[in-house]
Amino acid sequence: MVATPKPVSSVEFWYEFASTYSYLSAMRIEAAAAEAGVAITWRPFLLGPIFAGQGWTTSPFNLYPAKGRYMWRDMERSAAAAGLPFRRPDPFPQNTLLAARLALIGAQEGWVAPFSRAVYTAEFGEGRDVSKAETLVPLLDGLGLAGQQLVARARADEAIKNRLKIVTEDAQRHGIFGAPSFVTADGELFWGNDRLDEALAWAAGTHDGASARR
Amino acid sequence: MVATPKPVSSVEFWYEFASTYSYLSAMRIEAAAAEAGVAITWRPFLLGPIFAGQGWTTSPFNLYPAKGRYMWRDMERSAAAAGLPFRRPDPFPQNTLLAARLALIGAQEGWVAPFSRAVYTAEFGEGRDVSKAETLVPLLDGLGLAGQQLVARARADEAIKNRLKIVTEDAQRHGIFGAPSFVTADGELFWGNDRLDEALAWAAGTHDGASARR
């Protein structure tokens, strides 16, 4: 008899490059998923269109000053607790259209995870402007990729532009309204870096809330 | 030599009776605080005036439907994981003015914690309407208090009404914008049931983010 390998559960990691708490998740998700025995699919998307649908023209952390002040302090504490550098980028939020398009190419070509971590480190670890090709090209080159060519493709390729629109609609179908979000294969949505471990436990079938399964 | 007892750190627990996630914190905070060696001060307040200051006329979970749908599902899961009953009250949010005034009397007289737990259990464990005196009087009576008299006092006593206004201003001075919130003696603000353990660890001096101390 041949043993059938247990199928690996998976979790979709939905993130927006402008999102501070997505930075915390991006830097720890692979290790946490490996420990839980869960596979991760990286799903870059844009929050802008979703926020616009709620009548917001910028980040809620800018719209609601008390919430914004709290978030920056909380990020400072949370990054320190995670052993991560943290520096507030200016402006906030950053325009992440180019980075998101590049990440979608990376998802097709297998380098989305290291690219995304590099973007987050530049943006929130070093406070750099990741809206600019000048920032992104060296990050891509540093991963052994052809940075200039990829940026040119991200700017021109209609298929990539369309894919980003479809991805954002897909996010809305999942009920996503913020980032980071985690979606399990059975459609459970978890929102926020604080819910990463619950999402992994849900996917692995080891969570405490078994009676809440639909 | 006489050993000087170590001073006990304390955390203020700011909660609103209409807040779903405050229910989760109220039911576990005393055990968690005892384990951390931290004292808790129960600080009932009203979110309504704070939300109104942000231009909101109701709960953000009603204003933003995707966020609301998520919250109810997340509460279902979180309550199940905590072993707590959960039932959605109608209407939501509840008018919590009378309950908050009663809790302020309880804070003066030493029964604020059991009263608050009883209100939350009625509201979110049993889905009952806690805006009404008919609901609150038996809860008070069940604690061995004079329910009818306390409700009459909560409705008439100008000092209690004024105290609630001062408390809400105090919340805003702390930078509070949601509930539950936790404030340490050195002024650190933590927001959300997910931050209760960090708040206690901060107060006890056992947290991981020591380098983030101001």
Side-chain angles (χ1 to χ4, degrees):
Chain A
M1 278 179 57
V2 178
T4 310
K6 193 178 166 226
V8 174
S9 303
S10 67
V11 166
E12 294 189 349
F13 168 37
W14 288 81
Y15 59 100
E16 147 73 76
F17 282 116
S19 151
T20 49
Y21 289 103
S22 294
Y23 164 50
L24 299 179
S25 286
M27 304 312 280
R28 73 188 183 96
I29 195 169
E30 293 287 7
E35 196 172 331
V38 170
I40 296 299
T41 306
W42 291 62
R43 304 290 315 259
F45 77 115
L46 295 181
L47 265 177
I50 291 173
F51 282 174
Q54 298 183 164
W56 295 347
T57 52
T58 179
S59 164
F61 297 123
N62 290 349
L63 290 170
Y64 305 111
K67 194 166 185 158
R69 279 189 296 275
Y70 173 77
M71 181 276 286
W72 292 112
R73 177 61 183 153
D74 189 52
M75 276 297 302
E76 212 170 55
R77 290 188 307 234
S78 300
L84 290 171
F86 182 64
R87 196 161 154 189
R88 181 173 173 166
D90 182 27
F92 175 84
Q94 303 252 305
N95 182 326
T96 55
L97 181 61
L98 181 57
R101 285 187 187 159
L102 284 165
L104 286 182
I105 300 176
Q108 293 176 310
E109 298 187 351
W111 43 265
V112 62
F115 171 70
S116 298
R117 284 190 293 265
V119 172
Y120 279 122
T121 300
E123 184 183 17
F124 294 118
E126 299 162 12
R128 290 164 62 199
D129 184 348
V130 298
S131 69
K132 293 194 164 69
E134 302 92 275
T135 308
L136 297 174
V137 167
L139 299 182
L140 292 160
D141 291 344
L143 297 171
L145 300 164
Q148 290 287 5
Q149 284 173 16
L150 284 164
V151 165
R153 186 175 150 205
R155 283 178 166 154
D157 190 334
E158 288 301 322
I160 290 296
K161 293 183 190 178
N162 284 332
R163 178 178 297 263
L164 191 52
K165 284 177 199 150
I166 290 164
V167 160
T168 304
E169 287 163 14
D170 206 14
Q172 281 172 304
R173 256 196 308 277
H174 283 307
I176 290 172
F177 55 91
S181 289
F182 310 96
V183 179
T184 63
D186 58 346
E188 284 290 316
L189 173 65
F190 295 84
W191 171 52
N193 178 55
D194 293 325
R195 283 284 176 284
L196 169 55
D197 302 291
E198 278 100 323
L200 294 173
W202 189 277
T206 55
H207 59 95
D208 292 329
S211 63
R213 266 198 191 261
R214 285 198 179 92
Chain B
M1 276 177 58
V2 177
T4 309
K6 195 179 164 224
V8 175
S9 304
S10 67
V11 166
E12 294 189 350
F13 169 37
W14 288 80
Y15 59 100
E16 146 73 75
F17 282 116
S19 151
T20 50
Y21 290 103
S22 294
Y23 165 49
L24 299 179
S25 287
M27 303 312 280
R28 71 187 184 97
I29 194 166
E30 294 288 6
E35 195 172 331
V38 170
I40 297 298
T41 307
W42 292 62
R43 302 293 314 260
F45 76 114
L46 294 180
L47 264 177
I50 291 174
F51 283 174
Q54 298 183 163
W56 296 346
T57 53
T58 179
S59 163
F61 298 124
N62 291 350
L63 291 171
Y64 304 111
K67 195 166 184 158
R69 278 190 296 275
Y70 173 77
M71 181 276 285
W72 292 112
R73 176 62 183 151
D74 189 53
M75 277 298 301
E76 213 171 52
R77 290 189 307 234
S78 300
L84 290 171
F86 182 64
R87 197 160 154 189
R88 181 173 171 166
D90 181 28
F92 175 84
Q94 304 252 305
N95 183 327
T96 55
L97 180 62
L98 180 57
R101 285 187 188 159
L102 285 165
L104 286 181
I105 299 176
Q108 292 176 311
E109 298 187 352
W111 44 266
V112 62
F115 171 70
S116 298
R117 284 190 293 264
V119 172
Y120 279 122
T121 298
E123 183 182 17
F124 294 118
E126 299 161 11
R128 289 164 62 201
D129 185 347
V130 298
S131 69
K132 294 191 163 68
E134 301 93 275
T135 308
L136 298 174
V137 167
L139 299 183
L140 292 159
D141 290 344
L143 298 171
L145 301 164
Q148 290 287 5
Q149 285 175 15
L150 283 165
V151 164
R153 185 174 151 205
R155 283 178 166 156
D157 190 332
E158 290 300 323
I160 290 296
K161 293 182 191 180
N162 285 333
R163 180 178 296 264
L164 191 52
K165 285 178 198 148
I166 290 164
V167 160
T168 304
E169 289 163 11
D170 206 14
Q172 284 173 301
R173 255 196 306 278
H174 283 306
I176 289 172
F177 56 91
S181 289
F182 311 96
V183 180
T184 63
D186 58 348
E188 284 290 317
L189 173 64
F190 295 84
W191 172 52
N193 178 55
D194 294 326
R195 285 284 178 284
L196 168 54
D197 301 291
E198 277 100 322
L200 294 173
W202 189 278
T206 56
H207 59 93
D208 294 330
S211 63
R213 265 196 190 263
R214 284 198 180 95

